[in-house]
Amino acid sequence: MNFLIGDFAMSDIISPISLPIFISLGLLSIAMIAVTLRKVGQFRKLRTGGRDGAEAALKLWLAGHSQDAMERARAQNSVLGRILTAVMSGVQARPGESEYAEELGRQTALVELAQMGRYMRFLEICVSSAPMLGLLGTVLGMIDAFAELSAVQGAADPASLAQGIWTALTTTAAGLVLALVADFITSWFEARIERERVLAETMISAAIFGRAGSIADAA
């Protein structure tokens, strides 16, 4: 079936030479959606955030209710809760060695942040590779269009040239759209990871040395 869009047929919009580029962009977009959904599920499984629960556990800890604070932190089963539990365990294990508790907290935070950072590299690749794929499709399409014109005897048809250029440029447009969407998704995930990192560092310091404000004020 030959679908029409405006004055052009579908075969005019997607030329044979640019079809592999469109297929590559389509596969890349499907993979990006799959990774995005996986990241959302991963964040839910890790239970990122949890500032209110961590704040409540920290208040109990600083007030001297260490056992209640430990139970509250464990009950959170969140990134911040696990980090806080590690710090509290370090303080209780070696009361006079703050460096030990701080190191336990930072090691736990590194593990949690490493898990949160999984698959981020792929999203970054989508941001950089999608425009390049689109540009490649445009270059190939332009080469094909001018090759056809050079084979024409006599005066070249301006309408045919314009149609060939328009067809070639669609790959760049598709690549740019995909890159913009991937960039937005990547920035959103990176912002959440950075916020979690700041909260973790603030919480580790507050649990060991006291605090000047609430954890929620740190992000």
Side-chain angles (χ1 to χ4, degrees):
M1 185 177 292
N2 193 22
F3 295 97
L4 295 176
I5 299 179
D7 296 330
F8 301 122
M10 184 63 72
S11 59
D12 296 327
I13 297 175
I14 303 179
S15 63
I17 197 169
S18 62
L19 182 59
I21 302 299
F22 275 108
I23 293 176
S24 299
L25 289 172
L27 293 175
L28 191 63
S29 64
I30 293 173
M32 184 187 70
I33 293 172
V35 169
T36 300
L37 294 177
R38 187 174 182 84
K39 288 294 297 180
V40 171
Q42 179 193 50
F43 277 28
R44 288 183 177 178
K45 184 178 180 180
L46 292 174
R47 298 191 65 178
T48 58
R51 290 180 296 181
D52 293 339
E55 175 71 17
L58 187 58
K59 284 181 178 179
L60 290 172
W61 176 259
L62 295 177
H65 307 293
S66 57
Q67 191 60 37
D68 292 338
M70 289 278 288
E71 293 177 359
R72 185 65 178 268
R74 288 196 185 100
Q76 292 299 309
N77 192 28
S78 62
V79 172
L80 296 179
R82 288 187 289 272
I83 295 172
L84 188 56
T85 300
V87 175
M88 293 176 180
S89 300
V91 172
Q92 289 183 338
R94 299 183 184 179
E97 301 180 19
S98 60
E99 295 83 1
Y100 176 74
E102 185 176 4
E103 183 61 25
L104 282 183
R106 294 194 182 281
Q107 288 180 6
T108 305
L110 285 175
V111 172
E112 297 288 344
L113 291 173
Q115 293 185 61
M116 293 176 64
R118 292 180 63 189
Y119 309 112
M120 291 299 298
R121 182 58 181 164
F122 176 80
L123 294 176
E124 294 172 358
I125 291 175
C126 289
V127 174
S128 60
S129 63
M132 300 303 292
L133 276 173
L135 181 59
L136 176 61
T138 294
V139 171
L140 293 177
M142 295 287 285
I143 293 173
D144 184 57
F146 282 107
E148 290 183 3
L149 286 176
S150 65
V152 175
Q153 299 294 331
D157 184 8
S160 178
L161 178 60
Q163 178 178 337
I165 295 174
W166 180 84
T167 302
L169 288 175
T170 54
T171 58
T172 293
L176 288 174
V177 170
L178 179 58
L180 287 172
V181 174
D183 184 54
F184 174 80
I185 294 173
T186 303
S187 298
W188 184 73
F189 282 130
E190 287 178 345
R192 291 197 61 178
I193 294 173
E194 176 63 18
R195 183 168 63 246
E196 205 75 7
R197 184 191 66 80
V198 172
L199 288 172
E201 290 184 355
T202 304
M203 182 179 59
I204 292 171
S205 177
I208 299 174
F209 306 108
R211 64 179 181 181
S214 66
I215 292 178
D217 296 334

